[in-house]
Amino acid sequence: MKVHSLHLYPVKSLAGIQVSHFEMDDFGPKNDRRWMIIDEDRNFVTQRSLPQLARVKTDLSESLVSISIPGEGDFTLQHTNQELRVLVWRDWVLAYSGEAAASLALSRFCGKELRFVYMPNSSFRRVDAERVSEYRRVGFADGFPFLITNTASLEELNGRLEEPVEMRRFRPNIVVEGAAAWHEDRWQKLKVGGQSFAIVKPCSRCVLTTVNPDTGSKDPGLQPLRALSGFRRTPEGVIFGQNAIHEFPGIIHVGDSVTVIESE
C-alpha cells in the first residue's frame, strides 16, 4: 500500500488543496483547519447549511492562507488581536477575529452575516477524551486531526451509484491505495513513510457528502450518502473513512509506503 494523495483544508468547509507532501505539527497537518467561519451567534458554519461554501477556493503559501470568493475577488486572511469564544460542535474555543474585508465579502456571497476566525497556538481544543486518553489537541476539524480513506472503497461505492463521485466529497487528509475495499475498517495502527498513526474512530458521514464540490449544490437524490446508508450503517453512524491521530511531528509525502502495524 502507499499514499495516493494528500489534502489540506486551510479553512474549515471551504475548498481543500491537494498537495505533494505536508508537515505535521502538534495540531495535525500543519495549517489544516486553523481558520473557521462563524455566524452572528459565534457558532461554526459549514457546507451542511451553506453548500455554496464549496465554491470558495483556498490557497496556501508558507502559512499565509488566501481565498477566492466568486464575484468578490481574492483575499489574504489575516487575524486581529480581538479575542472571542467560538463554538465548534460542543466545544467553546478561544479564537482571534479575522480582518473585516474577507468576512464582509463572504457575507455578501452567502447572504448572511459571517466572520472568519483563527485558532492561535495559545488555544487548546482537546481531541475527544472518550476516544483518545492522551491529552491531544486538534484545530477546527470536526473531531480529530486526520481522516484517512481508501481508493478501493470509493471505487466499490461508485459501483453502486448512477453517477460516480470523487474522493473530494469525503474531505480526507490521507488517501491510501493498494488495500482491498473497506479493509480500513480493521486498521488500528499504521505506519506512513516513517510516521506512526493510531486509528481512533470510524468517520460517520453527513449531508456534506452530498454537496458537489464544483457547483456548491446538493445532490437532489442525496447521493452518495443515501447509497452508503444502505450498506455502511453501524452503531457509529454511516461510515466512510477512519479518523486518526499521529504519534510525532514529521513530514509525509505522496508515494510513501503504508503498512498496517495492528489490525482487528
Side-chain angles (χ1 to χ4, degrees), residues 170-198:
F170 300 96
R171 298 177 71 81
N173 298 107
I174 303 171
V175 181
V176 174
E177 65 178 339
W182 315 117
H183 190 249
E184 65 273 22
D185 292 346
R186 304 200 299 271
W187 297 345
Q188 293 183 322
K189 289 187 178 180
L190 295 180
K191 179 153 284 191
V192 180
Q195 306 299 317
S196 297
F197 292 82

Side-chain angles (χ1 to χ4, degrees), residues 59-86:
D59 197 12
L60 189 61
S61 177
E62 299 297 331
S63 292
L64 280 179
V65 176
S66 58
I67 61 171
S68 181
I69 305 174
E72 294 288 342
D74 300 337
F75 301 85
T76 298
L77 297 184
Q78 302 278 2
H79 64 76
T80 68
N81 292 324
Q82 179 188 355
E83 294 185 354
L84 68 164
R85 294 277 174 179
V86 300

Side-chain angles (χ1 to χ4, degrees), residues 28-173:
K30 187 175 180 181
N31 299 311
D32 187 79
R33 282 170 279 214
R34 296 289 294 274
W35 286 91
M36 186 174 73
I37 301 160
I38 59 169
D39 61 19
E40 55 190 352
D41 296 320
R42 294 179 291 152
N43 194 7
F44 78 114
V45 172
T46 73
Q47 293 177 33
R48 295 171 180 88
S49 59
L50 294 174
Q52 63 267 43
L53 292 175
R55 297 175 56 212
V56 181
K57 306 304 181 186
T58 60
D59 197 12
L60 189 61
S61 177
E62 299 297 331
S63 292
L64 280 179
V65 176
S66 58
I67 61 171
S68 181
I69 305 174
E72 294 288 342
D74 300 337
F75 301 85
T76 298
L77 297 184
Q78 302 278 2
H79 64 76
T80 68
N81 292 324
Q82 179 188 355
E83 294 185 354
L84 68 164
R85 294 277 174 179
V86 300
L87 184 63
V88 52
W89 295 111
R90 294 174 296 175
D91 301 327
W92 284 99
V93 181
L94 173 68
Y96 288 152
S97 178
E99 290 184 344
S103 295
L104 291 171
L106 187 69
S107 299
R108 290 191 295 269
F109 175 67
C110 291
K112 66 177 295 181
E113 184 178 335
L114 301 171
R115 190 191 318 190
F116 288 99
V117 294
Y118 175 75
M119 183 184 289
N121 291 336
S122 56
S123 183
F124 191 97
R125 178 181 174 225
R126 187 176 179 181
V127 168
D128 187 351
E130 294 183 3
R131 299 286 181 169
V132 179
S133 59
E134 301 170 59
Y135 204 61
R136 299 291 299 273
R137 79 193 313 179
V138 63
F140 286 129
D142 278 353
F144 300 92
F146 294 88
L147 174 63
I148 302 176
T149 61
N150 175 4
T151 58
S153 298
L154 179 64
E155 290 170 7
E156 202 277 341
L157 171 62
N158 277 334
R160 300 168 181 262
L161 303 178
E162 290 185 9
E163 295 285 340
V165 298
E166 296 180 60
M167 191 67 86
R168 288 189 295 161
R169 296 268 186 134
F170 300 96
R171 298 177 71 81
N173 298 107

